[in-house]
mmCIF file of all heavy atoms in Angstrom:
data_model
loop_
_atom_site.group_PDB
_atom_site.id
_atom_site.type_symbol
_atom_site.label_atom_id
_atom_site.label_comp_id
_atom_site.label_asym_id
_atom_site.label_seq_id
_atom_site.Cartn_x
_atom_site.Cartn_y
_atom_site.Cartn_z
ATOM 1 N N LEU A 1 5.419 51.768 27.279
ATOM 2 C CA LEU A 1 3.955 51.780 27.314
ATOM 3 C C LEU A 1 3.472 52.793 28.343
ATOM 4 O O LEU A 1 2.511 53.539 28.093
ATOM 5 C CB LEU A 1 3.415 50.390 27.642
ATOM 6 C CG LEU A 1 1.892 50.277 27.761
ATOM 7 C CD1 LEU A 1 1.200 50.695 26.470
ATOM 8 C CD2 LEU A 1 1.491 48.846 28.153
ATOM 9 N N VAL A 2 4.122 52.847 29.497
ATOM 10 C CA VAL A 2 3.773 53.847 30.508
ATOM 11 C C VAL A 2 3.881 55.245 29.914
ATOM 12 O O VAL A 2 2.973 56.075 30.065
ATOM 13 C CB VAL A 2 4.687 53.726 31.747
ATOM 14 C CG1 VAL A 2 4.378 54.845 32.743
ATOM 15 C CG2 VAL A 2 4.520 52.364 32.409
ATOM 16 N N GLU A 3 4.963 55.509 29.227
ATOM 17 C CA GLU A 3 5.156 56.822 28.612
ATOM 18 C C GLU A 3 4.085 57.105 27.572
ATOM 19 O O GLU A 3 3.515 58.204 27.518
ATOM 20 C CB GLU A 3 6.543 56.882 27.974
ATOM 21 C CG GLU A 3 6.857 58.222 27.333
ATOM 22 C CD GLU A 3 8.248 58.247 26.737
ATOM 23 O OE1 GLU A 3 8.661 57.239 26.121
ATOM 24 O OE2 GLU A 3 8.930 59.281 26.871
ATOM 25 N N GLN A 4 3.783 56.126 26.744
ATOM 26 C CA GLN A 4 2.794 56.296 25.678
ATOM 27 C C GLN A 4 1.421 56.659 26.252
ATOM 28 O O GLN A 4 0.746 57.573 25.758
ATOM 29 C CB GLN A 4 2.699 55.005 24.869
ATOM 30 C CG GLN A 4 1.802 55.096 23.641
ATOM 31 C CD GLN A 4 1.789 53.778 22.890
ATOM 32 O OE1 GLN A 4 1.510 52.724 23.474
ATOM 33 N NE2 GLN A 4 2.102 53.821 21.605
ATOM 34 N N VAL A 5 1.016 55.965 27.302
ATOM 35 C CA VAL A 5 -0.304 56.209 27.884
ATOM 36 C C VAL A 5 -0.335 57.528 28.649
ATOM 37 O O VAL A 5 -1.269 58.324 28.495
ATOM 38 C CB VAL A 5 -0.715 55.027 28.792
ATOM 39 C CG1 VAL A 5 -2.008 55.340 29.536
ATOM 40 C CG2 VAL A 5 -0.870 53.756 27.974
ATOM 41 N N THR A 6 0.677 57.796 29.469
ATOM 42 C CA THR A 6 0.659 59.025 30.272
ATOM 43 C C THR A 6 0.757 60.274 29.405
ATOM 44 O O THR A 6 0.171 61.301 29.732
ATOM 45 C CB THR A 6 1.808 59.032 31.302
ATOM 46 O OG1 THR A 6 3.060 58.864 30.631
ATOM 47 C CG2 THR A 6 1.631 57.943 32.331
ATOM 48 N N LYS A 7 1.484 60.192 28.304
ATOM 49 C CA LYS A 7 1.704 61.376 27.470
ATOM 50 C C LYS A 7 0.553 61.651 26.515
ATOM 51 O O LYS A 7 0.346 62.789 26.093
ATOM 52 C CB LYS A 7 3.001 61.231 26.663
ATOM 53 C CG LYS A 7 4.268 61.040 27.491
ATOM 54 C CD LYS A 7 4.534 62.199 28.437
ATOM 55 C CE LYS A 7 5.839 61.983 29.186
ATOM 56 N NZ LYS A 7 6.059 63.007 30.250
ATOM 57 N N ASN A 8 -0.202 60.614 26.151
ATOM 58 C CA ASN A 8 -1.162 60.773 25.066
ATOM 59 C C ASN A 8 -2.629 60.680 25.475
ATOM 60 O O ASN A 8 -3.497 61.027 24.668
ATOM 61 C CB ASN A 8 -0.889 59.728 23.982
ATOM 62 C CG ASN A 8 0.433 59.963 23.278
ATOM 63 O OD1 ASN A 8 0.624 60.959 22.586
ATOM 64 N ND2 ASN A 8 1.375 59.047 23.475
ATOM 65 N N LEU A 9 -2.909 60.227 26.690
ATOM 66 C CA LEU A 9 -4.294 60.087 27.108
ATOM 67 C C LEU A 9 -4.577 60.983 28.309
ATOM 68 O O LEU A 9 -3.762 61.088 29.220
ATOM 69 C CB LEU A 9 -4.599 58.628 27.460
ATOM 70 C CG LEU A 9 -4.482 57.629 26.304
ATOM 71 C CD1 LEU A 9 -4.749 56.214 26.804
ATOM 72 C CD2 LEU A 9 -5.420 57.973 25.164
ATOM 73 N N ASN A 10 -5.741 61.564 28.308
ATOM 74 C CA ASN A 10 -6.131 62.487 29.378
ATOM 75 C C ASN A 10 -6.845 61.710 30.481
ATOM 76 O O ASN A 10 -8.072 61.796 30.653
ATOM 77 C CB ASN A 10 -7.026 63.591 28.814
ATOM 78 C CG ASN A 10 -7.372 64.628 29.863
ATOM 79 O OD1 ASN A 10 -6.597 64.860 30.805
ATOM 80 N ND2 ASN A 10 -8.534 65.253 29.725
ATOM 81 N N ILE A 11 -6.057 60.940 31.230
ATOM 82 C CA ILE A 11 -6.609 60.154 32.328
ATOM 83 C C ILE A 11 -5.488 59.870 33.317
ATOM 84 O O ILE A 11 -4.316 59.755 32.933
ATOM 85 C CB ILE A 11 -7.234 58.834 31.816
ATOM 86 C CG1 ILE A 11 -8.056 58.165 32.933
ATOM 87 C CG2 ILE A 11 -6.190 57.898 31.235
ATOM 88 C CD1 ILE A 11 -8.935 57.032 32.446
ATOM 89 N N ALA A 12 -5.841 59.770 34.595
ATOM 90 C CA ALA A 12 -4.849 59.427 35.621
ATOM 91 C C ALA A 12 -4.388 57.984 35.405
ATOM 92 O O ALA A 12 -5.210 57.086 35.177
ATOM 93 C CB ALA A 12 -5.456 59.591 37.012
ATOM 94 N N VAL A 13 -3.078 57.789 35.495
ATOM 95 C CA VAL A 13 -2.491 56.472 35.247
ATOM 96 C C VAL A 13 -1.738 55.995 36.489
ATOM 97 O O VAL A 13 -0.759 56.620 36.907
ATOM 98 C CB VAL A 13 -1.518 56.504 34.044
ATOM 99 C CG1 VAL A 13 -0.923 55.122 33.810
ATOM 100 C CG2 VAL A 13 -2.218 57.013 32.793
ATOM 101 N N ASN A 14 -2.228 54.923 37.088
ATOM 102 C CA ASN A 14 -1.511 54.244 38.159
ATOM 103 C C ASN A 14 -0.885 52.985 37.578
ATOM 104 O O ASN A 14 -1.571 52.212 36.900
ATOM 105 C CB ASN A 14 -2.440 53.880 39.317
ATOM 106 C CG ASN A 14 -2.789 55.076 40.178
ATOM 107 O OD1 ASN A 14 -2.443 56.216 39.858
ATOM 108 N ND2 ASN A 14 -3.474 54.830 41.271
ATOM 109 N N VAL A 15 0.384 52.775 37.830
ATOM 110 C CA VAL A 15 1.126 51.688 37.194
ATOM 111 C C VAL A 15 1.324 50.540 38.177
ATOM 112 O O VAL A 15 1.886 50.731 39.262
ATOM 113 C CB VAL A 15 2.486 52.177 36.676
ATOM 114 C CG1 VAL A 15 3.209 51.056 35.945
ATOM 115 C CG2 VAL A 15 2.311 53.387 35.752
ATOM 116 N N LEU A 16 0.857 49.348 37.799
ATOM 117 C CA LEU A 16 1.089 48.154 38.606
ATOM 118 C C LEU A 16 2.542 47.717 38.455
ATOM 119 O O LEU A 16 3.039 47.561 37.334
ATOM 120 C CB LEU A 16 0.174 47.022 38.155
ATOM 121 C CG LEU A 16 0.446 45.663 38.818
ATOM 122 C CD1 LEU A 16 0.066 45.689 40.285
ATOM 123 C CD2 LEU A 16 -0.270 44.540 38.092
ATOM 124 N N LEU A 17 3.207 47.507 39.574
ATOM 125 C CA LEU A 17 4.597 47.040 39.557
ATOM 126 C C LEU A 17 4.669 45.693 40.265
ATOM 127 O O LEU A 17 4.472 45.582 41.473
ATOM 128 C CB LEU A 17 5.504 48.069 40.222
ATOM 129 C CG LEU A 17 5.509 49.449 39.541
ATOM 130 C CD1 LEU A 17 6.418 50.413 40.286
ATOM 131 C CD2 LEU A 17 5.900 49.343 38.073
ATOM 132 N N ARG A 18 4.933 44.687 39.488
ATOM 133 C CA ARG A 18 5.009 43.298 39.977
ATOM 134 C C ARG A 18 5.976 42.567 39.062
ATOM 135 O O ARG A 18 5.752 42.506 37.846
ATOM 136 C CB ARG A 18 3.617 42.667 39.928
ATOM 137 C CG ARG A 18 3.522 41.242 40.458
ATOM 138 C CD ARG A 18 2.113 40.722 40.227
ATOM 139 N NE ARG A 18 1.951 39.340 40.675
ATOM 140 C CZ ARG A 18 1.030 38.515 40.171
ATOM 141 N NH1 ARG A 18 0.198 38.940 39.217
ATOM 142 N NH2 ARG A 18 0.926 37.280 40.606
ATOM 143 N N PRO A 19 7.063 42.024 39.578
ATOM 144 C CA PRO A 19 8.130 41.531 38.703
ATOM 145 C C PRO A 19 7.812 40.245 37.959
ATOM 146 O O PRO A 19 8.475 39.925 36.978
ATOM 147 C CB PRO A 19 9.308 41.319 39.660
ATOM 148 C CG PRO A 19 8.680 41.100 40.991
ATOM 149 C CD PRO A 19 7.449 41.964 40.998
ATOM 150 N N ARG A 20 6.791 39.517 38.434
ATOM 151 C CA ARG A 20 6.500 38.208 37.836
ATOM 152 C C ARG A 20 5.149 37.716 38.331
ATOM 153 O O ARG A 20 4.589 38.243 39.296
ATOM 154 C CB ARG A 20 7.585 37.190 38.233
ATOM 155 C CG ARG A 20 7.768 37.114 39.736
ATOM 156 C CD ARG A 20 8.528 35.928 40.237
ATOM 157 N NE ARG A 20 8.851 36.083 41.651
ATOM 158 C CZ ARG A 20 7.994 35.959 42.654
ATOM 159 N NH1 ARG A 20 6.728 35.664 42.406
ATOM 160 N NH2 ARG A 20 8.382 36.118 43.909
ATOM 161 N N PHE A 21 4.673 36.672 37.670
ATOM 162 C CA PHE A 21 3.511 35.931 38.143
ATOM 163 C C PHE A 21 3.884 35.161 39.411
ATOM 164 O O PHE A 21 5.030 34.787 39.619
ATOM 165 C CB PHE A 21 3.075 34.938 37.062
ATOM 166 C CG PHE A 21 2.093 33.907 37.517
ATOM 167 C CD1 PHE A 21 0.753 34.220 37.667
ATOM 168 C CD2 PHE A 21 2.516 32.624 37.804
ATOM 169 C CE1 PHE A 21 -0.164 33.267 38.099
ATOM 170 C CE2 PHE A 21 1.607 31.653 38.228
ATOM 171 C CZ PHE A 21 0.276 31.984 38.369
ATOM 172 N N GLY A 22 2.901 34.929 40.284
ATOM 173 C CA GLY A 22 3.161 34.080 41.441
ATOM 174 C C GLY A 22 3.010 34.816 42.752
ATOM 175 O O GLY A 22 2.282 35.800 42.856
ATOM 176 N N ASP A 23 3.735 34.349 43.764
ATOM 177 C CA ASP A 23 3.576 34.909 45.101
ATOM 178 C C ASP A 23 4.203 36.297 45.201
ATOM 179 O O ASP A 23 4.795 36.819 44.248
ATOM 180 C CB ASP A 23 4.133 33.962 46.168
ATOM 181 C CG ASP A 23 5.642 33.772 46.063
ATOM 182 O OD1 ASP A 23 6.374 34.768 45.887
ATOM 183 O OD2 ASP A 23 6.110 32.617 46.156
ATOM 184 N N PHE A 24 4.095 36.888 46.383
ATOM 185 C CA PHE A 24 4.526 38.278 46.578
ATOM 186 C C PHE A 24 5.713 38.386 47.534
ATOM 187 O O PHE A 24 5.954 39.444 48.108
ATOM 188 C CB PHE A 24 3.351 39.111 47.087
ATOM 189 C CG PHE A 24 2.180 39.091 46.149
ATOM 190 C CD1 PHE A 24 1.076 38.282 46.399
ATOM 191 C CD2 PHE A 24 2.180 39.865 45.000
ATOM 192 C CE1 PHE A 24 0.000 38.250 45.536
ATOM 193 C CE2 PHE A 24 1.108 39.838 44.123
ATOM 194 C CZ PHE A 24 0.017 39.033 44.380
ATOM 195 N N CYS A 25 6.441 37.287 47.688
ATOM 196 C CA CYS A 25 7.661 37.287 48.492
ATOM 197 C C CYS A 25 8.837 37.410 47.530
ATOM 198 O O CYS A 25 9.169 36.454 46.818
ATOM 199 C CB CYS A 25 7.746 36.001 49.313
ATOM 200 S SG CYS A 25 9.117 35.976 50.478
ATOM 201 N N PHE A 26 9.424 38.596 47.466
ATOM 202 C CA PHE A 26 10.368 38.908 46.406
ATOM 203 C C PHE A 26 11.818 38.755 46.835
ATOM 204 O O PHE A 26 12.174 38.974 47.999
ATOM 205 C CB PHE A 26 10.117 40.335 45.897
ATOM 206 C CG PHE A 26 8.725 40.539 45.367
ATOM 207 C CD1 PHE A 26 7.922 41.569 45.838
ATOM 208 C CD2 PHE A 26 8.197 39.683 44.408
ATOM 209 C CE1 PHE A 26 6.632 41.750 45.355
ATOM 210 C CE2 PHE A 26 6.911 39.854 43.915
ATOM 211 C CZ PHE A 26 6.131 40.893 44.391
ATOM 212 N N THR A 27 12.655 38.412 45.874
ATOM 213 C CA THR A 27 14.091 38.302 46.113
ATOM 214 C C THR A 27 14.716 39.697 46.185
ATOM 215 O O THR A 27 14.107 40.704 45.782
ATOM 216 C CB THR A 27 14.781 37.522 44.993
ATOM 217 O OG1 THR A 27 14.684 38.282 43.773
ATOM 218 C CG2 THR A 27 14.136 36.148 44.783
#
């Protein structure tokens, strides 16, 4: 999906990276 949007749309794309729902204390 990242590739599809960055390659085909003329807009800056910032990608949210979060492995799961919930808190932000990661393993």
Side-chain angles (χ1 to χ4, degrees):
L1 178 59
V2 176
E3 181 179 41
Q4 186 179 54
V5 173
T6 56
K7 301 300 183 187
N8 293 294
L9 297 177
N10 184 29
I11 192 168
V13 180
N14 284 7
V15 183
L16 173 69
L17 299 179
R18 182 185 178 205
R20 54 165 170 74
F21 167 78
D23 65 45
F24 301 101
C25 186
F26 301 126
T27 66

